[in-house]
Amino acid sequence: MTTSATRLGRATLSRLPADSRPAVLPGSVRAGVLHLGLGAFFRAHQALYVEAAMAASGGDWGIVAVAPRSRDVLEALRAQDHLYSVVTLDGAASRTRAVGALTGTVHAASDPDSVVAHLADPAIRVVTMTVTEKAYAPDSAVTRLLVAGLAARRRADAGPITLLSCDNLPSNGVVLGRLLAGVIPGELRDWYAASVRCPSSMVDRIVPATTPALLATAQRDLGVADLAAVVGEPFSQWVIEDDFAGARPDWAAAGAVLTGDVTPWEHLKLRALNGVHSTLAYLGALAGCEYIADALALPGMTDLLRRYVATEVAASMTPPEGVTVAGYGDAALERFANAALGHRCLQVAMDGTQKLPQRALSVLNTVPDPALATLILAAWARFAEGRSDSGQELPLNDPRAAEVRADLSTEALFGESGVLPVPDPARRRMIDLWRAELATHGAADLVRRTVA
């Protein structure tokens, strides 16, 4: 059992190693950012960029973080004076540093009025969001809070505000802007058009689930317990459309990319990184691999994925200036080889019907010869059948699982009115051939044979 003397907090900061102390001391800045969502990704990504921006350029950009439903992380943070740590794992090495960017927390489900009050506070100039795709609906709790908060902000004459989506949605700012434009009351529309901006952004960092082993690593590195610790890989990227209604943190000084168009970066990540990640998840799970790094280590897998990125992905898009698709893909494979992250194939395999349109169909339906893109869809279909090549049960964790399992034929899954439509019959036949090959040879042998 931990006590205040042995747990991370203001009283124990002096006990931390010098290189583990926060870049911004708690209580030294006022709030300027409201963040909706208190999950691990936000704490291992956006919060670090905000803290680094304040450390580099100053300004009151402390974050008030909103927990939509669960109180577990919120209570852990409150018990630690809103301090927590991020453990960066690189192979066998770990580096742990406390983060002091949070100035407060709010529980939206029990105290929505506080969220509205923060949205109406002129000190809050930027709202960032990691609320998952499900929240981008007219009747969601998040949408209702935003509309109520914007109405309160207008009444308070609190000035312009930027709503910055950080969710894994293509053109997420456009999606958010259209959503709000459709539900904003008529009396707010002129003010909304003049005072609110919804830029898009692309976020990237692998942040696996927190485990007891991770909490033990944080305690070993810090010398005190941290029950809100999170873990991430060394790599981190944030690409932000530079379209703000007012002031913002100096994110460029923190390493973020500010650009006029996020789209090329989104396409690059979705196809050369996320698409490869899904491929490893499905083929790896079929081959009996528990972790992504194990799937990448299958004979021939690295060569197969390099070929896919350098030919099919590269043919499907124009990358950002100064970036090559093949080079980006090689860097992604190096990241996936980091076994210390313990990224499970089944975790990455979740929600395939929601992910694969952007990750694989965007390539399959675009390039002249989608030989390997069709393999990705075939691997998902084989995974959806529910058994690995050795007969182990594979759970289909997907919002459309019942529909998928009701008819697993290639036509039902990929026909023009199927779950994941592939309009070209010739490409559906390619998927069918790959499915037969997977059933005959198994994923591991198929990968080896395909490369050979």
Side-chain angles (χ1 to χ4, degrees):
M1 182 176 179
T2 58
T3 67
S4 59
T6 58
R7 189 164 170 182
L8 180 62
R10 287 179 183 152
T12 57
L13 278 179
S14 61
R15 297 175 54 179
L16 272 57
D19 60 356
S20 292
R21 293 173 188 170
V24 173
L25 294 176
S28 65
V29 296
R30 293 176 297 174
V33 175
L34 181 70
H35 182 82
L36 305 182
L38 195 51
F41 188 84
F42 154 69
R43 286 177 282 141
H45 189 275
Q46 295 93 32
L48 301 188
Y49 280 92
V50 172
E51 185 183 58
M54 289 190 288
S57 303
D60 285 319
W61 294 107
I63 305 169
V64 176
V66 177
R69 292 174 300 277
S70 174
R71 301 187 66 101
D72 294 347
V73 174
L74 179 145
E75 297 298 349
L77 287 167
R78 287 178 175 177
Q80 297 177 178
D81 303 315
H82 295 109
L83 288 161
Y84 68 95
S85 63
V86 177
V87 180
T88 301
L89 292 179
D90 188 5
S94 69
R95 183 176 72 255
T96 304
R97 185 176 68 79
V99 180
L102 301 188
T103 62
T105 50
V106 179
H107 185 237
S110 63
D111 192 7
D113 290 345
S114 287
V115 181
V116 171
H118 282 296
L119 282 163
D121 183 350
I124 299 294
R125 289 149 287 171
V126 176
V127 177
T128 53
M129 301 169 54
T130 49
V131 290
T132 78
E133 295 92 333
K134 298 172 186 175
Y136 292 79
D139 60 346
S140 75
V142 170
T143 301
R144 292 195 299 270
L145 275 175
L146 285 173
V147 171
L150 292 175
R153 190 173 188 90
R154 183 208 178 200
R155 289 194 300 271
D157 194 21
I161 192 167
T162 299
L163 309 179
L164 179 59
S165 172
C166 306
D167 284 295
N168 276 317
L169 286 168
S171 304
N172 50 20
V174 175
V175 172
L176 177 62
R178 287 175 178 168
L179 168 67
L180 292 175
V183 296
I184 285 288
E187 66 272 16
L188 286 182
R189 286 182 181 168
D190 289 345
W191 175 87
Y192 173 82
S195 304
V196 181
R197 292 290 180 275
C198 298
S200 293
S201 78
M202 188 277 287
V203 297
D204 189 8
R205 190 179 194 186
I206 297 174
V207 180
T210 299
T211 64
L214 179 277
L215 296 179
T217 297
Q219 182 164 355
R220 182 199 68 205
D221 291 350
L222 296 173
V224 294
D226 175 11
L227 300 188
V230 293
V231 62
E233 64 170 329
F235 179 90
S236 182
Q237 186 176 59
W238 196 4
V239 182
I240 307 170
E241 181 185 3
D242 196 2
D243 180 24
F244 287 78
R248 58 165 172 79
D250 188 0
W251 278 316
V257 176
L258 277 296
T259 179
D261 185 8
V262 175
T263 304
W265 293 97
E266 287 181 341
H267 288 171
L268 187 64
K269 182 200 172 194
L270 285 166
R271 300 175 191 182
L273 185 133
N274 295 136
V276 169
H277 215 191
S278 291
T279 308
L280 285 166
Y282 297 123
L283 290 173
L286 290 171
C289 299
E290 183 176 1
Y291 298 107
I292 290 293
D294 298 332
L296 186 60
L298 290 171
M301 184 67 83
T302 297
D303 290 340
L304 180 81
L305 294 173
R306 280 182 175 150
R307 181 188 303 175
Y308 170 64
V309 171
T311 56
E312 297 177 32
V313 173
S316 76
M317 61 168 294
T318 301
E321 186 176 353
V323 179
T324 67
V325 176
Y328 182 92
D330 284 345
L333 292 177
E334 289 181 17
R335 295 166 61 190
F336 296 151
N338 187 352
L341 295 174
H343 218 181
R344 299 177 67 242
C345 290
L346 293 182
Q347 180 186 358
V348 180
M350 292 170 56
D351 300 334
T353 60
Q354 311 301 302
K355 297 173 179 176
L356 288 173
Q358 296 82 28
R359 298 183 179 196
L361 284 180
S362 57
V363 177
L364 186 153
N365 288 326
T366 302
V367 301
D369 181 16
L372 297 179
T374 49
L375 171 59
I376 299 172
L377 273 293
W380 170 76
R382 175 77 172 154
F383 175 90
E385 293 173 16
R387 295 284 174 184
S388 72
D389 296 331
S390 65
Q392 181 181 0
E393 184 178 356
L394 296 174
L396 184 60
N397 193 332
D398 191 288
R400 300 178 70 180
E403 180 183 358
V404 170
R405 287 268 171 86
D407 188 345
L408 288 161
S409 68
T410 295
E411 191 62 31
L413 295 180
F414 305 112
E416 292 191 30
S417 59
V419 177
L420 296 174
V422 177
D424 185 351
R427 297 178 188 216
R428 294 202 295 274
R429 287 194 293 272
M430 292 172 70
I431 294 173
D432 220 16
L433 288 172
W434 279 123
R435 292 184 72 177
E437 290 284 301
L438 284 166
T440 301
H441 300 290
D445 192 41
L446 178 64
V447 169
R448 181 186 60 77
R449 290 161 58 93
T450 301
V451 171

